Amino acid sequence: MAKVADRYLLVDPWAIIEEGFDSERGRVSESIFSLGNEYMGVRGYAEEGYSGDTLVGSYFNGLFEEIKLGAHYKGIIRRLRFMASAVDWLYTRIRVGDETLDLAKSKISGFSRKLDFKTGAYSREFIWHLQAGGSIKVSFIRLVSMTKSNLGCQQISFEAIDCTGSVEVRSGLDFNIIHEDQGRNLWEGVRQGGIGEVTAILAQTISTGNRLFSGFTLNTSVPIAPVMIQEDKFIGQDFSLPLAVGSKVSFEKIVANYAELVPPVTSEAVWTMGIELAAQFGALTFAAIAEEQATYWGRVWEASDIEIEGDPENQQGIRFCIFQLYQTYRGENPGFNIGAKGLTGEAYRGLAFWDTESYCLPFYLFNNPKAAKSLLEFRYKTLTEAIERAKEVDCIGACYPIATIDGTESCDLWQHSNLQLHVGTAVGYGIWHYVKTVGDTEFLYEKGIEMLIQISRFYASRGQWGQRSGQYGYFGVMGPDEFQLMVNNNCYINLMAKKLFEYTLESINEMEQVAPEQIKQLIAALALSEQERSTWQRMADNMHIPLDEATGIFEEHDGFFDMPHIDIHSIPVSEFPLYSNWSYDRLYRYDMIKQPDVLMFMFLYNQDFTPEVKRANYEYYEPRCIHESSLSPSIHSILASEIGRNEEAYQFFEFATRLDLDNYNRNTREGLHTTSIAAAWMNIVYGFGGMRSDGAGLVLNPTIPQIWSSYRFKVIYRGTTLSIVTNKDILTIRAESGVSVEVIVYGKAYLIDSVGIELPVQNVIYAGEAVMQ
């Protein structure tokens, strides 16, 4: 893993701080200093305008545009939907005399910016040295409210150091944004104007008709005489603020953003609702919003903080990760999902992948169960689209897409959209993991079971029986390892499908005992027969799981063990990333893997395997993995920690929390690696904390990295908040709230209450349940 940090940010336990303006790193900082609240997100771009390299990114969860594709074969998508870059609601232009402020051209000094984890505020300040003489201190603060999804605001102040006169400001709302990936603007104006104190605009996406309202009110420290400016897809207010040496003047912009997708909600209704929100928010002050924001973040850190003593870089890093995970998703808007870049950039088109259930869900399960449920609600909301997708690929049931923003398939690479079958099993796993962790059987009975039945139908119709082996499996597929194309019996897909069938049948049987009328009605509605259920059982019992019995190593797919071997360390660093430097077909010729496949299911169903089996598979597959996916190192670190390879575990972890802060992959400029950020949390809690949540009960086997003095984290388990503190010698676990719960610690069951337990820290490998040898 030849990854090198590009470290330029100050190390601070509660903030990200950049001192000095570096245009070469401008886009990287725009990603890192992003703000969001699940409903909307905005990159850390310069709102005053910047003529240098920048990505003015303003995004709204679930708001999309589409393009038509020229597909000629059945089952290959004919349209692609993607997150649309939307209104620049922070739009500001600042002029003094004949000079317009532009960091690419203006002379400045003392530049600094800060993202404060405790307040949720992004601030910038610098001294602007005017061409005509004199200097002004300019300060910016922006917030995206975590308590009111539609609310955003900014405060800009000017303090004359040695000049007088006035500063001319234009504050507006601009839909003339170029979506960089498409190279064009995606919006057409619907309505704009002023009503009372509100300046507002409504626009819609050209192809899909998604509507977005944006409206603002202004508060100023001195009286102004604003003049409304209206242009194509733009509305704003021009005004002047007086400058006097030693005095500060400022203005606040309070913004309401309100999105609606397609009819039946009319544009008139969207406009009316938006105006009402803007007028309501206009009664607020920036100070009141900031105070409410700080209170919110105080509650977050009380519940979800991870404290590390002895490692300031990773202390900052993990808090950045937790901060971004809360910004990305809160569960306040049911039906939203998590894009691969969250709401921080256009890469991956704002689409959600299987990472949601596999990597992101655990964080929310143990920190915000409401958000975890909301993620699964998205899959239920889009069940109809999954059923339609199954028909497109000549199957029945529900085929969940590999990449989506609205439930439809939006991956235009057929080898991924048609061959990667593991999204459905990830959804099934997510339901299983949620129900067993939270205990929400109501969700299972009302929504989860319907999804499980339809997903099982898909896997029953997509697989085939081997004509010689007589076993069931999946042919012509691609697993999580995307360097193995059109393979047969990918071990991950087969094993996860087996688990899916078993869980679906168990859930039906359970409901027949405890909710007989409810399951009877569903069985009738879905026309689920006894024969279909028995067929699923036969498929599960006879699923082909490629395994070398002598070594205990699972074969990634049929024939993998016989593929040509390549020493991945012999590949020159200059050839990475391979996707950019190797012929596409060359990627698929070796036993080289992109990311964990066999090791992935050993993490998900960890307690099913003995330490010996996990060690054998780790030692076989790790040397073949090039970690071309940012999701890869965390899983390797977790398993390395489990099998006692502590130094190796920490080496994999070293850049987990700082993947974006230090731009290890040199692509942070495209947006944050949101799902990898979630994996960094798992790396600490599941890795060093030794937590396992896939067995009969919660397991904790904490160890501590040599460099750390201590660390602590909290998890919510079955409604009880557990505090886990580990230092060099002592492990302390206690219940901070809720009822007493049983936890298995170092192989022994303890009932954890408010008094808690203290145990010596051990570094021992425990076998768990180990039912699959």
Side-chain angles (χ1 to χ4, degrees):
M1 295 189 337
K3 295 178 183 288
V4 179
D6 177 23
R7 185 164 295 175
Y8 68 99
L9 302 166
L10 300 185
V11 176
D12 184 283
W14 286 106
I16 304 300
I17 301 170
E18 179 182 2
E19 292 188 344
F21 181 70
D22 185 346
S23 61
E24 295 299 315
R25 295 188 174 105
R27 285 212 189 196
V28 174
S29 290
E30 288 175 6
S31 296
I32 291 170
F33 288 89
S34 293
L35 293 180
N37 67 359
E38 175 187 70
Y39 186 83
M40 59 182 175
V42 62
R43 286 170 60 84
Y45 60 85
E47 58 255 64
E48 71 273 17
Y50 179 66
S51 60
D53 184 27
T54 185
L55 176 60
V56 178
S58 168
Y59 309 105
F60 290 79
N61 204 328
L63 195 155
F64 60 87
E65 182 59 309
E66 72 176 23
I67 54 176
K68 305 295 183 183
L69 302 174
H72 299 291
Y73 299 101
K74 186 176 186 294
I76 298 178
I77 65 170
R78 299 177 183 274
R79 67 180 183 186
L80 182 153
R81 290 179 169 176
F82 57 92
M83 181 175 68
S85 186
V87 62
D88 179 7
W89 54 270
L90 292 162
Y91 181 99
T92 309
R93 296 297 181 265
I94 298 167
R95 181 169 53 85
V96 174
D98 295 328
E99 182 180 354
T100 299
L101 178 60
D102 179 352
L103 294 186
K105 300 175 181 178
S106 301
K107 183 179 179 181
I108 66 167
S109 64
F111 178 93
S112 68
R113 56 176 139 194
K114 178 180 181 180
L115 183 62
D116 192 319
F117 302 153
K118 289 186 176 182
T119 66
Y122 167 42
S123 59
R124 290 184 299 139
E125 65 177 30
F126 51 84
I127 306 298
W128 180 15
H129 303 279
L130 301 172
Q131 295 173 359
S135 303
I136 304 170
K137 181 179 180 181
V138 188
S139 303
F140 302 80
I141 308 177
R142 69 176 69 161
L143 293 169
V144 174
S145 174
M146 297 295 289
T147 56
K148 297 176 178 64
S149 295
N150 305 92
L151 174 62
C153 56
Q154 67 182 156
Q155 182 185 75
I156 302 177
S157 62
F158 307 91
E159 184 177 355
I161 297 173
D162 53 5
C163 62
T164 58
S166 64
V167 56
E168 309 299 322
V169 178
R170 175 169 292 184
S171 180
L173 306 165
D174 188 16
F175 272 99
N176 292 289
I177 302 300
I178 298 299
H179 189 90
E180 190 170 64
D181 181 61
Q182 296 294 311
R184 61 188 175 94
N185 180 261
L186 306 174
W187 297 88
E188 57 187 13
V190 176
R191 183 175 176 179
Q192 61 190 58
I195 297 181
E197 299 296 316
V198 177
T199 304
I201 187 169
L202 173 65
Q204 65 183 16
T205 49
I206 295 170
S207 298
T208 56
N210 286 194
R211 273 86 38 85
L212 177 61
F213 169 95
S214 189
F216 71 91
T217 56
L218 290 173
N219 300 319
T220 57
S221 60
V222 296
I224 60 171
V227 177
M228 183 177 290
I229 304 297
Q230 296 197 57
E231 299 172 355
D232 181 41
K233 292 181 282 191
F234 175 88
I235 191 168
Q237 298 282 354
D238 281 1
F239 56 93
S240 298
L241 295 173
L243 295 173
V245 175
S247 66
K248 180 188 293 187
V249 290
S250 64
F251 74 92
E252 302 170 357
K253 182 179 185 180
I254 312 299
V255 184
N257 292 311
Y258 177 67
E260 278 288 351
L261 303 185
V262 295
V265 181
T266 65
S267 294
E268 181 65 29
V270 176
W271 177 266
T272 300
M273 176 59 75
I275 292 293
E276 291 176 359
L277 281 172
Q280 174 188 332
F281 294 158
L284 303 173
T285 64
F286 188 92
I289 297 167
E291 182 179 358
E292 187 174 65
Q293 190 86 334
T295 300
Y296 173 88
W297 281 109
R299 292 195 301 267
V300 165
W301 296 118
E302 176 63 27
S304 299
D305 189 24
I306 293 180
E307 297 179 50
I308 301 173
E309 294 291 336
D311 189 347
E313 289 82 7
N314 279 307
Q315 175 66 90
Q316 180 187 42
I318 192 58
R319 284 184 174 142
F320 175 74
C321 292
I322 294 168
F323 181 82
Q324 292 297 345
L325 286 167
Y326 270 95
Q327 285 204 132
T328 300
Y329 206 81
R330 300 181 297 129
E332 297 298 324
N333 298 275
F336 285 168
N337 207 321
I338 298 174
K341 295 291 183 184
L343 298 170
T344 68
E346 297 174 17
Y348 292 105
R349 298 170 175 152
L351 304 176
F353 295 76
W354 71 294
D355 314 353
T356 297
E357 288 80 16
S358 301
Y359 287 86
C360 297
L361 190 64
F363 172 81
Y364 298 105
L365 276 177
F366 292 99
N367 289 276
N368 185 355
K370 177 183 176 181
K373 181 178 182 178
S374 186
L375 281 172
L376 296 173
E377 294 272 9
F378 172 83
R379 298 299 190 179
Y380 186 75
K381 176 185 175 183
T382 59
L383 179 59
T384 299
E385 287 79 5
I387 291 172
E388 288 302 310
R389 178 59 181 160
K391 295 175 184 176
E392 293 173 3
V393 295
D394 295 339
C395 294
I396 62 172
C399 175
Y400 280 99
I402 192 69
T404 189
I405 193 169
D406 69 332
T408 61
E409 180 63 77
S410 283
C411 177
D412 56 347
L413 297 173
W414 70 270
Q415 61 270 43
H416 296 277
S417 60
N418 290 56
L419 304 187
Q420 289 198 280
L421 309 183
H422 50 279
V423 182
T425 57
V427 175
Y429 180 87
I431 296 169
W432 173 79
H433 201 187
Y434 170 76
V435 172
K436 78 186 303 296
T437 302
V438 178
D440 187 359
T441 54
E442 182 180 351
F443 174 80
L444 173 63
Y445 297 168
E446 291 186 355
K447 297 177 180 178
I449 188 63
E450 184 179 354
M451 286 190 280
L452 290 171
I453 290 171
Q454 294 289 20
I455 298 169
S456 294
R457 279 181 165 163
F458 169 72
Y459 282 93
S461 63
R462 176 58 174 84
Q464 292 89 22
W465 294 92
Q467 61 177 316
R468 288 190 175 181
S469 69
Q471 292 183 303
Y472 194 74
Y474 297 90
F475 299 81
V477 299
M478 175 190 282
D481 172 20
E482 295 173 345
F483 280 1
Q484 304 296 320
L485 173 67
M486 195 62 85
V487 301
N488 298 328
N489 290 308
N490 170 263
C491 196
Y492 178 93
I493 292 176
N494 285 21
L495 185 139
M496 296 295 286
K498 172 184 172 68
K499 290 286 192 179
L500 170 74
F501 286 139
E502 291 170 346
Y503 180 52
T504 302
L505 293 170
E506 289 170 8
S507 299
I508 294 171
N509 293 337
E510 176 185 318
M511 288 186 68
E512 287 178 331
Q513 296 299 314
V514 300
E517 192 58 35
Q518 195 172 358
I519 190 63
K520 181 180 178 181
Q521 291 177 8
L522 183 62
I523 286 174
L526 299 181
L528 178 65
S529 68
E530 286 293 336
Q531 181 179 356
E532 193 171 9
R533 290 165 65 176
S534 65
T535 298
W536 295 349
Q537 187 65 63
R538 187 163 65 94
M539 291 172 173
D541 292 343
N542 292 278
M543 187 68 70
H544 177 50
I545 307 295
L547 171 66
D548 183 339
E549 300 281 357
T551 62
I553 299 173
F554 289 84
E555 188 173 22
E556 185 175 305
H557 59 76
D558 287 349
F560 182 86
F561 289 158
D562 195 37
M563 293 188 73
H565 178 66
I566 183 171
D567 178 3
I568 61 174
H569 300 291
S570 70
I571 303 172
V573 174
S574 60
E575 295 185 13
F576 289 93
L578 299 186
Y579 273 128
S580 302
N581 294 287
W582 278 24
S583 169
Y584 189 62
D585 62 291
R586 183 182 173 193
L587 297 171
Y588 305 110
R589 301 175 191 168
Y590 305 98
D591 67 344
M592 171 180 64
I593 63 178
K594 176 186 175 184
Q595 64 195 81
D597 197 293
V598 168
L599 297 185
M600 188 66 200
F601 68 68
M602 288 193 170
F603 167 70
L604 296 176
Y605 286 105
N606 184 270
Q607 300 295 283
D608 283 4
F609 304 96
T610 66
E612 293 75 21
V613 166
K614 282 180 272 194
R615 182 181 291 106
N617 281 270
Y618 179 90
E619 291 176 352
Y620 180 83
Y621 283 106
E622 190 282 321
R624 290 166 169 78
C625 184
I626 66 165
H627 307 285
E628 191 104 326
S629 167
S630 61
L631 296 171
S632 180
S634 62
I635 299 300
H636 284 82
S637 178
I638 291 167
L639 293 175
S641 183
E642 180 179 4
I643 64 175
R645 293 193 167 197
N646 297 333
E647 184 176 347
E648 196 167 314
Y650 193 81
Q651 288 173 350
F652 278 120
F653 167 74
E654 273 186 311
F655 59 88
T657 71
R658 304 189 62 88
L659 180 68
D660 289 311
L661 291 181
D662 295 335
N663 197 17
Y664 274 101
N665 285 0
R666 301 302 188 263
N667 60 359
T668 300
R669 69 196 314 271
E670 299 173 357
L672 301 179
H673 295 79
T674 303
T675 49
S676 300
I677 282 173
W681 178 88
M682 290 200 303
N683 208 148
I684 293 177
V685 174
Y686 282 84
F688 307 128
M691 189 175 83
R692 296 294 182 268
S693 50
D694 60 286
L698 191 69
V699 172
L700 287 166
N701 294 317
T703 58
I704 184 167
Q706 186 174 5
I707 192 175
W708 295 1
S709 302
S710 67
Y711 67 104
R712 67 173 65 210
F713 62 90
K714 297 178 184 179
V715 294
I716 300 172
Y717 178 62
R718 300 244 165 177
T720 295
T721 299
L722 297 173
S723 169
I724 298 94
V725 182
T726 308
N727 61 33
K728 294 291 188 183
D729 303 307
I730 301 297
L731 165 67
T732 304
I733 306 174
R734 70 181 186 89
E736 289 199 346
S737 65
V739 300
S740 301
V741 292
E742 185 177 274
V743 179
I744 301 167
V745 186
Y746 297 136
K748 182 179 178 181
Y750 295 88
L751 190 65
I752 308 297
D753 56 18
S754 58
V755 176
I757 61 170
E758 285 192 355
L759 299 171
V761 172
Q762 302 180 28
N763 189 13
V764 180
I765 304 165
Y766 285 86
E769 295 164 18
V771 298
M772 190 172 292
Q773 303 291 326

